[in-house]
Amino acid sequence: DQQVKQNSPSLSVQEGRISILNCDYTNSMFDYFLWYKKYPAEGPTFLISISSIKDKNEDGRFTVFLNKSAKHLSLHIVPSQPGDSAVYFCAASVGGSEKLVFGKGMKLTVNP
Amino acid sequence: NAGVTQTPKFQVLKTGQSMTLQCAQDMNHEYMSWYRQDPGMGLRLIHYSVGAGITDQGEVPNGYNVSRSTTEDFPLRLLSAAPSQTSVYFCASRPTVLNEQFFGPGTRLTVL
C-alpha cells in the first residue's frame, strides 16, 4: 500500500506561471517531508523540506505547504522556468530518519 | 569535492551472476543509503548505514548485501542476480546535521 502518493503523473505549465505539485500521505507518523527534483540520467537533487511543526516553508521561488489534518502537502513554484522541467518526487520520513518513503514522481514540463 | 560517486554507470548481468555496485562519498557524511528506482515506482530504500560498521535493512532488502567498513564507501552486493533486480540504483549520503540526502548519478543494471 502506497504511503506517499503523487496522483498526477504529469503537469504542463507556461513559463512565468505558477506550478503546483501535490502529494498525499497516509501514515500519520510521518513528520518530515522533502521534495526532490530529478533530471534524466541524473540522481535526485534536494529542493526543499518541511517539518510537521510548520505549515509553510519558502526558499526563493519554491514554497512547500503542509496540511497535517488533510495529510497533504504541495509544492508551489513561482514563477516557473523552462529549467524547472524535471520529475519531482515527494518523500516522507518519521523523525527525519533514513527510511525515506518516496512517491512515484510527477513530470513537470514548463513551456517557453 | 566529487560528492557521491557510483560505479559502474551501466552493467548487464546474466541471471545467477554476482556483482558489487560501488558507492563512495568524500564529504565525510555519516549516513549512507541505497535505493532502487523502477518505472512508475519511485525510489525504494534497500539498505542504509548510520556509520562505519552499522547497517540496517530498508523496504526491499532481499537479494542484496551491504557492509560499511569505512565512512567513505558503501558497496551494494548482489549475490545471485535475478531479472527482478533490473533497475536503476542510487546511492545517497547525508551528514548528521541535515535531513536531506545527496544522491549519486545512479547505476543502470540489467539482468538477463
Side-chain angles (χ1 to χ4, degrees), chain B residues 8 10-21 63-65 76-86 89 109-112:
Chain B
F10 302 94
Q11 183 70 49
V12 178
L13 291 178
K14 293 181 179 178
T15 297
Q17 287 185 314
S18 63
M19 81 158 294
T20 300
L21 279 63
Y64 307 94
N65 276 358
L76 179 72
R77 279 180 283 276
L78 284 70
L79 301 177
S80 178
S84 60
Q85 294 178 304
T86 293
Y89 291 84
L109 175 69
T110 301
V111 183
L112 302 175

Side-chain angles (χ1 to χ4, degrees), chain A residues 21-74:
Chain A
L21 290 73
N22 294 307
C23 179
D24 296 293
Y25 60 97
T26 58
N27 187 343
S28 57
M29 298 296 291
F30 287 146
D31 58 3
Y32 197 80
F33 305 89
L34 309 91
W35 284 93
Y36 284 85
K37 177 169 76 172
K38 186 182 181 303
Y39 294 119
E42 295 184 10
T45 304
F46 170 74
L47 203 54
I48 192 169
S49 62
I50 188 166
S51 162
S52 61
I53 63 173
K54 295 185 175 182
D55 54 17
K56 176 183 174 181
N57 190 26
E58 268 183 277
D59 185 0
R61 297 185 296 114
F62 303 92
T63 303
V64 56
F65 296 92
L66 175 62
N67 182 333
K68 290 185 289 291
S69 61
K71 294 191 181 70
H72 176 83
L73 63 156
S74 61

Side-chain angles (χ1 to χ4, degrees), chain B residues 13-81:
Chain B
L13 291 178
K14 293 181 179 178
T15 297
Q17 287 185 314
S18 63
M19 81 158 294
T20 300
L21 279 63
Q22 301 292 344
C23 174
Q25 52 94 6
D26 60 358
M27 298 173 283
N28 204 32
H29 289 172
E30 294 84 359
Y31 294 86
M32 296 186 75
S33 302
W34 276 102
Y35 293 85
R36 59 179 287 174
Q37 185 190 11
D38 301 303
M41 291 292 293
L43 283 81
R44 291 182 292 170
L45 181 65
I46 304 171
H47 285 286
Y48 65 96
S49 168
V50 300
I54 307 170
T55 63
D56 205 348
Q57 296 182 349
E59 181 185 354
V60 288
N62 293 341
Y64 307 94
N65 276 358
V66 292
S67 60
R68 183 102 179 268
S69 56
T70 67
T71 300
E72 295 77 21
D73 300 297
F74 191 41
L76 179 72
R77 279 180 283 276
L78 284 70
L79 301 177
S80 178

Side-chain angles (χ1 to χ4, degrees), chain A residues 32 36 43-44 46 89 98 104, chain B residues 31 40 94 99-101 103-104:
Chain A
Y32 197 80
Y36 284 85
F46 170 74
F89 290 96
E98 293 317 285
K104 292 183 177 182
Chain B
Y31 294 86
R94 73 170 178 93
N99 283 318
E100 49 265 27
Q101 298 186 15
F103 282 83

